[in-house]
PDB file of all heavy atoms in Angstrom:
ATOM      1  N   HIS A 638     107.890  99.936  79.475  1.00 96.00           N
ATOM      2  CA  HIS A 638     106.900 101.025  79.338  1.00 96.00           C
ATOM      3  C   HIS A 638     105.483 100.469  79.200  1.00 96.00           C
ATOM      4  O   HIS A 638     104.554 101.005  79.818  1.00 96.00           O
ATOM      5  CB  HIS A 638     107.225 101.896  78.104  1.00 96.00           C
ATOM      6  CG  HIS A 638     108.490 102.721  78.286  1.00 96.00           C
ATOM      7  ND1 HIS A 638     108.560 103.750  79.214  1.00 96.00           N
ATOM      8  CD2 HIS A 638     109.704 102.620  77.703  1.00 96.00           C
ATOM      9  CE1 HIS A 638     109.795 104.289  79.147  1.00 96.00           C
ATOM     10  NE2 HIS A 638     110.486 103.623  78.207  1.00 96.00           N
ATOM     11  N   ALA A 639     105.359  99.368  78.479  1.00 97.00           N
ATOM     12  CA  ALA A 639     104.048  98.791  78.308  1.00 97.00           C
ATOM     13  C   ALA A 639     103.496  98.187  79.595  1.00 97.00           C
ATOM     14  O   ALA A 639     102.282  98.258  79.844  1.00 97.00           O
ATOM     15  CB  ALA A 639     104.090  97.697  77.203  1.00 97.00           C
ATOM     16  N   TYR A 640     104.423  97.655  80.450  1.00 97.00           N
ATOM     17  CA  TYR A 640     103.935  97.095  81.693  1.00 97.00           C
ATOM     18  C   TYR A 640     103.467  98.159  82.646  1.00 97.00           C
ATOM     19  O   TYR A 640     102.466  98.017  83.382  1.00 97.00           O
ATOM     20  CB  TYR A 640     105.020  96.214  82.357  1.00 97.00           C
ATOM     21  CG  TYR A 640     104.416  95.084  83.151  1.00 97.00           C
ATOM     22  CD1 TYR A 640     104.216  93.799  82.572  1.00 97.00           C
ATOM     23  CD2 TYR A 640     103.931  95.278  84.452  1.00 97.00           C
ATOM     24  CE1 TYR A 640     103.603  92.807  83.263  1.00 97.00           C
ATOM     25  CE2 TYR A 640     103.313  94.247  85.127  1.00 97.00           C
ATOM     26  CZ  TYR A 640     103.207  92.987  84.539  1.00 97.00           C
ATOM     27  OH  TYR A 640     102.542  91.984  85.211  1.00 97.00           O
ATOM     28  N   VAL A 641     104.153  99.290  82.644  1.00 96.00           N
ATOM     29  CA  VAL A 641     103.718 100.411  83.492  1.00 96.00           C
ATOM     30  C   VAL A 641     102.319 100.867  83.058  1.00 96.00           C
ATOM     31  O   VAL A 641     101.472 101.218  83.887  1.00 96.00           O
ATOM     32  CB  VAL A 641     104.721 101.599  83.362  1.00 96.00           C
ATOM     33  CG1 VAL A 641     104.175 102.859  83.993  1.00 96.00           C
ATOM     34  CG2 VAL A 641     106.019 101.237  84.007  1.00 96.00           C
ATOM     35  N   ALA A 642     102.004 100.816  81.764  1.00 96.00           N
ATOM     36  CA  ALA A 642     100.694 101.207  81.292  1.00 96.00           C
ATOM     37  C   ALA A 642      99.582 100.323  81.776  1.00 96.00           C
ATOM     38  O   ALA A 642      98.427 100.809  81.921  1.00 96.00           O
ATOM     39  CB  ALA A 642     100.723 101.262  79.756  1.00 96.00           C
ATOM     40  N   ILE A 643      99.863  99.049  82.052  1.00 97.00           N
ATOM     41  CA  ILE A 643      98.775  98.168  82.525  1.00 97.00           C
ATOM     42  C   ILE A 643      98.832  97.972  84.049  1.00 97.00           C
ATOM     43  O   ILE A 643      98.002  97.223  84.592  1.00 97.00           O
ATOM     44  CB  ILE A 643      98.838  96.779  81.839  1.00 97.00           C
ATOM     45  CG1 ILE A 643     100.191  96.061  82.134  1.00 97.00           C
ATOM     46  CG2 ILE A 643      98.628  96.917  80.339  1.00 97.00           C
ATOM     47  CD1 ILE A 643     100.091  94.949  83.130  1.00 97.00           C
ATOM     48  N   ALA A 644      99.737  98.692  84.679  1.00 97.00           N
ATOM     49  CA  ALA A 644      99.874  98.518  86.144  1.00 97.00           C
ATOM     50  C   ALA A 644      98.612  98.799  86.890  1.00 97.00           C
ATOM     51  O   ALA A 644      98.129  97.983  87.704  1.00 97.00           O
ATOM     52  CB  ALA A 644     101.024  99.362  86.653  1.00 97.00           C
ATOM     53  N   GLU A 645      98.057  99.981  86.682  1.00 97.00           N
ATOM     54  CA  GLU A 645      96.870 100.389  87.440  1.00 97.00           C
ATOM     55  C   GLU A 645      95.679  99.463  87.224  1.00 97.00           C
ATOM     56  O   GLU A 645      95.110  98.921  88.177  1.00 97.00           O
ATOM     57  CB  GLU A 645      96.442 101.813  87.055  1.00 97.00           C
ATOM     58  CG  GLU A 645      95.237 102.369  87.766  1.00 97.00           C
ATOM     59  CD  GLU A 645      95.584 103.026  89.074  1.00 97.00           C
ATOM     60  OE1 GLU A 645      96.578 103.808  89.120  1.00 97.00           O
ATOM     61  OE2 GLU A 645      94.844 102.789  90.086  1.00 97.00           O
ATOM     62  N   PRO A 646      95.249  99.198  85.981  1.00 97.00           N
ATOM     63  CA  PRO A 646      94.102  98.280  85.823  1.00 97.00           C
ATOM     64  C   PRO A 646      94.376  96.835  86.287  1.00 97.00           C
ATOM     65  O   PRO A 646      93.450  96.205  86.793  1.00 97.00           O
ATOM     66  CB  PRO A 646      93.832  98.346  84.301  1.00 97.00           C
ATOM     67  CG  PRO A 646      95.058  98.873  83.667  1.00 97.00           C
ATOM     68  CD  PRO A 646      95.711  99.758  84.694  1.00 97.00           C
ATOM     69  N   SER A 647      95.584  96.378  86.143  1.00 97.00           N
ATOM     70  CA  SER A 647      95.879  95.002  86.591  1.00 97.00           C
ATOM     71  C   SER A 647      95.833  94.908  88.115  1.00 97.00           C
ATOM     72  O   SER A 647      95.355  93.895  88.665  1.00 97.00           O
ATOM     73  CB  SER A 647      97.217  94.497  86.054  1.00 97.00           C
ATOM     74  OG  SER A 647      98.310  95.171  86.662  1.00 97.00           O
ATOM     75  N   VAL A 648      96.281  95.959  88.797  1.00 97.00           N
ATOM     76  CA  VAL A 648      96.225  95.956  90.232  1.00 97.00           C
ATOM     77  C   VAL A 648      94.765  96.051  90.745  1.00 97.00           C
ATOM     78  O   VAL A 648      94.363  95.369  91.686  1.00 97.00           O
ATOM     79  CB  VAL A 648      97.043  97.145  90.825  1.00 97.00           C
ATOM     80  CG1 VAL A 648      96.703  97.386  92.296  1.00 97.00           C
ATOM     81  CG2 VAL A 648      98.524  96.864  90.673  1.00 97.00           C
ATOM     82  N   ARG A 649      93.955  96.832  90.037  1.00 97.00           N
ATOM     83  CA  ARG A 649      92.558  96.953  90.391  1.00 97.00           C
ATOM     84  C   ARG A 649      91.858  95.568  90.257  1.00 97.00           C
ATOM     85  O   ARG A 649      91.066  95.164  91.099  1.00 97.00           O
ATOM     86  CB  ARG A 649      91.833  97.990  89.546  1.00 97.00           C
ATOM     87  CG  ARG A 649      92.262  99.389  89.829  1.00 97.00           C
ATOM     88  CD  ARG A 649      91.347 100.410  89.133  1.00 97.00           C
ATOM     89  NE  ARG A 649      90.025 100.486  89.786  1.00 97.00           N
ATOM     90  CZ  ARG A 649      89.743 101.287  90.818  1.00 97.00           C
ATOM     91  NH1 ARG A 649      90.704 102.072  91.300  1.00 97.00           N
ATOM     92  NH2 ARG A 649      88.583 101.292  91.281  1.00 97.00           N
ATOM     93  N   ALA A 650      92.189  94.862  89.197  1.00 97.00           N
ATOM     94  CA  ALA A 650      91.618  93.539  88.967  1.00 97.00           C
ATOM     95  C   ALA A 650      92.017  92.538  90.079  1.00 97.00           C
ATOM     96  O   ALA A 650      91.205  91.757  90.539  1.00 97.00           O
ATOM     97  CB  ALA A 650      92.004  92.999  87.597  1.00 97.00           C
ATOM     98  N   ALA A 651      93.281  92.616  90.489  1.00 97.00           N
ATOM     99  CA  ALA A 651      93.790  91.769  91.498  1.00 97.00           C
ATOM    100  C   ALA A 651      93.111  92.044  92.845  1.00 97.00           C
ATOM    101  O   ALA A 651      92.747  91.155  93.591  1.00 97.00           O
ATOM    102  CB  ALA A 651      95.309  91.871  91.607  1.00 97.00           C
ATOM    103  N   CYS A 652      92.961  93.337  93.142  1.00 97.00           N
ATOM    104  CA  CYS A 652      92.313  93.746  94.401  1.00 97.00           C
ATOM    105  C   CYS A 652      90.880  93.207  94.450  1.00 97.00           C
ATOM    106  O   CYS A 652      90.412  92.729  95.471  1.00 97.00           O
ATOM    107  CB  CYS A 652      92.365  95.262  94.543  1.00 97.00           C
ATOM    108  SG  CYS A 652      93.950  95.941  94.928  1.00 97.00           S
ATOM    109  N   GLU A 653      90.161  93.316  93.315  1.00 96.00           N
ATOM    110  CA  GLU A 653      88.806  92.863  93.276  1.00 96.00           C
ATOM    111  C   GLU A 653      88.774  91.349  93.517  1.00 96.00           C
ATOM    112  O   GLU A 653      87.909  90.827  94.258  1.00 96.00           O
ATOM    113  CB  GLU A 653      88.171  93.185  91.924  1.00 96.00           C
ATOM    114  CG  GLU A 653      86.704  92.763  91.832  1.00 96.00           C
ATOM    115  CD  GLU A 653      86.044  93.152  90.511  1.00 96.00           C
ATOM    116  OE1 GLU A 653      86.626  94.012  89.842  1.00 96.00           O
ATOM    117  OE2 GLU A 653      84.980  92.639  90.269  1.00 96.00           O
ATOM    118  N   ALA A 654      89.685  90.616  92.878  1.00 96.00           N
ATOM    119  CA  ALA A 654      89.666  89.173  93.016  1.00 96.00           C
ATOM    120  C   ALA A 654      90.009  88.702  94.443  1.00 96.00           C
ATOM    121  O   ALA A 654      89.550  87.641  94.847  1.00 96.00           O
ATOM    122  CB  ALA A 654      90.661  88.575  92.007  1.00 96.00           C
ATOM    123  N   LYS A 655      90.779  89.567  95.119  1.00 96.00           N
ATOM    124  CA  LYS A 655      91.273  89.103  96.474  1.00 96.00           C
ATOM    125  C   LYS A 655      90.528  89.817  97.604  1.00 96.00           C
ATOM    126  O   LYS A 655      90.881  89.627  98.767  1.00 96.00           O
ATOM    127  CB  LYS A 655      92.747  89.379  96.565  1.00 96.00           C
ATOM    128  CG  LYS A 655      93.590  88.564  95.593  1.00 96.00           C
ATOM    129  CD  LYS A 655      95.083  88.818  95.704  1.00 96.00           C
ATOM    130  CE  LYS A 655      95.852  87.968  94.707  1.00 96.00           C
ATOM    131  NZ  LYS A 655      97.323  88.158  94.855  1.00 96.00           N
ATOM    132  N   GLY A 656      89.515  90.622  97.247  1.00 95.00           N
ATOM    133  CA  GLY A 656      88.716  91.243  98.319  1.00 95.00           C
ATOM    134  C   GLY A 656      89.416  92.434  98.966  1.00 95.00           C
ATOM    135  O   GLY A 656      89.248  92.665 100.150  1.00 95.00           O
ATOM    136  N   ILE A 657      90.254  93.148  98.238  1.00 96.00           N
ATOM    137  CA  ILE A 657      91.019  94.267  98.712  1.00 96.00           C
ATOM    138  C   ILE A 657      90.445  95.565  98.195  1.00 96.00           C
ATOM    139  O   ILE A 657      90.083  95.704  97.018  1.00 96.00           O
ATOM    140  CB  ILE A 657      92.496  94.164  98.323  1.00 96.00           C
ATOM    141  CG1 ILE A 657      93.160  92.906  98.931  1.00 96.00           C
ATOM    142  CG2 ILE A 657      93.311  95.406  98.735  1.00 96.00           C
ATOM    143  CD1 ILE A 657      94.533  92.592  98.384  1.00 96.00           C
ATOM    144  N   ASP A 658      90.354  96.590  99.054  1.00 96.00           N
ATOM    145  CA  ASP A 658      89.946  97.947  98.624  1.00 96.00           C
ATOM    146  C   ASP A 658      91.062  98.540  97.743  1.00 96.00           C
ATOM    147  O   ASP A 658      92.167  98.776  98.235  1.00 96.00           O
ATOM    148  CB  ASP A 658      89.725  98.834  99.833  1.00 96.00           C
ATOM    149  CG  ASP A 658      89.408 100.303  99.446  1.00 96.00           C
ATOM    150  OD1 ASP A 658      89.285 100.574  98.259  1.00 96.00           O
ATOM    151  OD2 ASP A 658      89.369 101.156 100.421  1.00 96.00           O
ATOM    152  N   PRO A 659      90.825  98.765  96.442  1.00 95.00           N
ATOM    153  CA  PRO A 659      91.899  99.256  95.541  1.00 95.00           C
ATOM    154  C   PRO A 659      92.380 100.635  95.922  1.00 95.00           C
ATOM    155  O   PRO A 659      93.463 101.051  95.507  1.00 95.00           O
ATOM    156  CB  PRO A 659      91.247  99.245  94.176  1.00 95.00           C
ATOM    157  CG  PRO A 659      89.779  99.275  94.409  1.00 95.00           C
ATOM    158  CD  PRO A 659      89.586  98.572  95.740  1.00 95.00           C
ATOM    159  N   GLY A 660      91.620 101.349  96.764  1.00 94.00           N
ATOM    160  CA  GLY A 660      92.059 102.670  97.181  1.00 94.00           C
ATOM    161  C   GLY A 660      92.666 102.703  98.558  1.00 94.00           C
ATOM    162  O   GLY A 660      93.087 103.750  99.036  1.00 94.00           O
ATOM    163  N   GLY A 661      92.777 101.575  99.211  1.00 94.00           N
ATOM    164  CA  GLY A 661      93.265 101.458 100.596  1.00 94.00           C
ATOM    165  C   GLY A 661      94.741 101.066 100.634  1.00 94.00           C
ATOM    166  O   GLY A 661      95.358 100.688  99.597  1.00 94.00           O
ATOM    167  N   PRO A 662      95.356 101.128 101.859  1.00 93.00           N
ATOM    168  CA  PRO A 662      96.760 100.790 101.959  1.00 93.00           C
ATOM    169  C   PRO A 662      97.096  99.367 101.505  1.00 93.00           C
ATOM    170  O   PRO A 662      98.174  99.128 100.937  1.00 93.00           O
ATOM    171  CB  PRO A 662      97.033 100.931 103.452  1.00 93.00           C
ATOM    172  CG  PRO A 662      95.928 101.844 103.990  1.00 93.00           C
ATOM    173  CD  PRO A 662      94.759 101.551 103.111  1.00 93.00           C
ATOM    174  N   LEU A 663      96.181  98.429 101.727  1.00 95.00           N
ATOM    175  CA  LEU A 663      96.469  97.045 101.389  1.00 95.00           C
ATOM    176  C   LEU A 663      96.663  96.795  99.905  1.00 95.00           C
ATOM    177  O   LEU A 663      97.302  95.804  99.501  1.00 95.00           O
ATOM    178  CB  LEU A 663      95.351  96.138 101.925  1.00 95.00           C
ATOM    179  CG  LEU A 663      95.744  94.735 102.416  1.00 95.00           C
ATOM    180  CD1 LEU A 663      96.823  94.820 103.515  1.00 95.00           C
ATOM    181  CD2 LEU A 663      94.469  94.020 102.972  1.00 95.00           C
ATOM    182  N   ALA A 664      96.167  97.702  99.098  1.00 96.00           N
ATOM    183  CA  ALA A 664      96.395  97.568  97.641  1.00 96.00           C
ATOM    184  C   ALA A 664      97.892  97.619  97.324  1.00 96.00           C
ATOM    185  O   ALA A 664      98.287  97.171  96.264  1.00 96.00           O
ATOM    186  CB  ALA A 664      95.641  98.668  96.885  1.00 96.00           C
ATOM    187  N   GLY A 665      98.643  98.192  98.224  1.00 96.00           N
ATOM    188  CA  GLY A 665     100.107  98.210  98.004  1.00 96.00           C
ATOM    189  C   GLY A 665     100.737  96.856  97.851  1.00 96.00           C
ATOM    190  O   GLY A 665     101.739  96.705  97.189  1.00 96.00           O
ATOM    191  N   GLU A 666     100.110  95.833  98.448  1.00 96.00           N
ATOM    192  CA  GLU A 666     100.589  94.484  98.270  1.00 96.00           C
ATOM    193  C   GLU A 666     100.646  94.091  96.795  1.00 96.00           C
ATOM    194  O   GLU A 666     101.602  93.534  96.301  1.00 96.00           O
ATOM    195  CB  GLU A 666      99.699  93.471  98.970  1.00 96.00           C
ATOM    196  CG  GLU A 666      99.865  93.385 100.440  1.00 96.00           C
ATOM    197  CD  GLU A 666      99.012  92.246 101.026  1.00 96.00           C
ATOM    198  OE1 GLU A 666      98.328  91.507 100.287  1.00 96.00           O
ATOM    199  OE2 GLU A 666      99.028  92.091 102.270  1.00 96.00           O
TER     200      GLU A 666
END
């Protein structure tokens, strides 16, 4: 349950670090 709670912000941080649009399809990676 705790990991689900950090899923969204951790994905946004990863997208920023890797040059991915967090709202685009590639964020699915």
Side-chain angles (χ1 to χ4, degrees):
H638 291 292
Y640 211 93
V641 170
I643 62 103
E645 181 88 42
S647 69
V648 165
R649 292 189 73 86
C652 288
E653 181 176 347
K655 297 180 180 183
I657 297 171
D658 175 6
L663 213 55
E666 284 187 1

